[in-house]
Amino acid sequence: SSCRHRCCPGRNNACWAPGSRRAHCYCDSYCQRTGDCCQDYLAMCRRAAVGCAVGPWGPWSRCSSPCGVGSRARSRQVTVPPRHGGDPCPDLKQRRGCLGQHPTCGTAK
C-alpha cells in the first residue's frame, strides 16, 4: 500500500494501491477527505505538494450603473496552480456594491 510514484491531484479513482484485506487505498489528494489514503500518502505526496499562488488584485471596475445602485468587480490571476494535493486557489473575483453618481444623474426631466 505505497503511494510511491502515484501521487495524483484532485479526486482520481484510478490513483490507488492494493491495501489491506483486498481493499484499495488511494493516493489522490481527495483521500484526505474520504479517509482512505494509503499509509505513506502524507510522506510521499504532501512533501511534493505545491499550494496555489495568486497575483495581486487588479483595479476595481467602474460602477455598473451610472446613476443609482450598481456593482464593481475586480479580479486576480493564478500565478502557480496547485499540484500534488497542495492548497487550492482562493477566490479570484470579488464584487461589491456602488452608487453611480454621474454628473448627469438627476438632470433628466
Side-chain angles (χ1 to χ4, degrees):
S1 62
S2 175
C3 287
R4 187 177 298 275
H5 309 299
R6 278 199 182 119
C7 301
C8 304
R11 187 171 197 164
N12 185 343
N13 289 336
C15 193
W16 62 272
S20 61
R21 298 185 213 135
R22 293 190 217 165
H24 291 173
C25 63
Y26 292 88
C27 300
D28 60 345
S29 58
Y30 200 79
C31 75
Q32 292 184 89
R33 287 189 181 182
T34 53
D36 54 4
C37 296
C38 293
Q39 288 179 332
D40 63 350
Y41 172 78
L42 291 176
M44 298 307 297
C45 299
R46 290 297 292 183
R47 181 174 36 188
V50 175
C52 182
V54 295
W57 287 107
W60 287 102
S61 66
R62 289 185 176 184
C63 191
S64 62
S65 174
C67 300
V69 177
S71 63
R72 294 174 177 240
R74 69 179 182 172
S75 62
R76 58 186 173 180
Q77 302 294 318
V78 173
T79 55
V80 177
R83 292 190 302 273
H84 307 297
D87 292 332
C89 294
D91 289 339
L92 300 176
K93 294 185 179 184
Q94 286 184 334
R95 186 172 296 278
R96 71 178 183 188
C98 60
L99 186 60
Q101 296 177 330
H102 193 271
T104 59
C105 296
T107 60
K109 298 195 176 185

